[in-house]
């Protein structure tokens, strides 16, 4: 059982992802969008593919595991998916593209209702710079942008 493993999306290390979460003063619609986005939290995992295991990436150990001094937790993906589904979380593999997809930066009249419907487009796309991560994400929407998750996953 996970407890509070979900992180605020503003803290992501991909500049393309975190940049679109920054507020520019004076734009009321953007502030409304940013506040809606900040209600989402994520867990980022690495997964196996047909060529390699998720844990068998030296670059990942260097970047995320304190230069190889960290640990690797192997989790049962089916259990994760069951729990995520039970909590209404959105989950799936990240899709990698050749360049930054500007179509994810768009105006919304009602971001609180539109973001959950467009979550796969917005939160599950990265540039191929990050492809080595083989990322699998779980996204959860919180009741407000500053609260901690209650109960965890």
């Amino acid at each position: 059982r996970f407890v509070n493993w979900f992180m605020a999306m503003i803290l992501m290390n991909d500049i393309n992802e975190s940049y679109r979460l920054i507020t520019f003063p004076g734009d009321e619609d953007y502030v409304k969008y940013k506040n809606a986005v900040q209600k989402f939290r994520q867990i980022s995992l690495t997964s196996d593919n047909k060529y390699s295991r998720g844990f068998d990436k030296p670059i990942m150990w260097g970047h995320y595991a304190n230069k190889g001094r960290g640990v690797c937790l192997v989790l049962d993906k089916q259990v994760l998916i069951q729990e995520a589904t039970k909590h209404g979380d959105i989950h799936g593999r990240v899709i990698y593209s050749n360049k930054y997809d500007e179509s994810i930066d768009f105006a919304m009249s009602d971001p609180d209702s539109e973001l959950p419907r467009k979550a796969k487009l917005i939160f599950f796309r990265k540039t191929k710079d990050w492809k080595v991560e083989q990322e699998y994400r779980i996204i959860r929407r919180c009741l407000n942008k500053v609260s901690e998750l209650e109960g965890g996953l």
Side-chain angles (χ1 to χ4, degrees):
R1 179 176 159 100
F2 294 103
V3 179
N4 293 331
W5 281 22
F6 286 84
M7 129 176 135
M9 299 182 90
I10 192 81
L11 301 174
M12 293 181 285
N13 60 0
D14 178 350
I15 193 167
N16 287 331
E17 290 185 297
S18 59
Y19 176 76
R20 68 178 178 262
L21 306 180
I22 298 169
T23 301
F24 296 98
D27 188 341
E28 185 178 316
D29 289 337
Y30 193 83
V31 172
K32 188 167 65 168
Y33 169 76
K34 184 203 82 148
N35 288 340
V37 167
Q38 286 185 348
K39 292 177 185 175
F40 287 84
R41 305 286 188 272
Q42 82 174 39
I43 295 177
S44 292
L45 306 160
T46 188
S47 60
D48 298 346
N49 68 21
K50 64 183 178 179
Y51 303 109
S52 66
R53 305 292 303 263
F55 63 82
D56 193 20
K57 303 262 185 223
I59 193 169
M60 297 292 284
W61 284 96
H63 192 71
Y64 295 109
N66 195 19
K67 297 183 181 168
R69 293 185 293 271
V71 299
C72 174
L73 303 174
V74 179
L75 306 171
D76 185 327
K77 187 175 181 181
Q78 295 310 314
V79 171
L80 283 173
I81 290 171
Q82 279 181 325
E83 288 296 311
T85 303
K86 183 168 64 174
H87 289 278
D89 300 332
I90 305 159
H91 58 88
R93 286 184 176 271
V94 169
I95 297 167
Y96 302 96
S97 60
N98 287 325
K99 63 179 186 155
Y100 176 66
D101 182 358
E102 294 178 14
S103 69
I104 60 177
D105 295 327
F106 47 84
M108 296 183 177
S109 58
D110 183 9
D112 277 321
S113 65
E114 292 178 55
L115 277 171
R117 289 194 311 269
K118 296 178 180 176
K120 285 279 189 172
L121 174 66
I122 297 169
F123 301 125
F124 289 81
R125 292 188 176 213
K126 296 177 87 166
T127 58
K128 285 193 176 178
D129 305 352
W130 300 91
K131 189 174 183 174
V132 70
E133 291 182 339
Q134 298 171 198
E135 188 175 350
Y136 191 92
R137 285 186 176 176
I138 303 172
I139 305 290
R140 179 171 290 176
R141 186 171 176 223
C142 299
L143 295 177
N144 72 54
K145 65 180 184 171
V146 295
S147 71
E148 291 295 318
L149 291 168
E150 295 180 17
L153 171 68

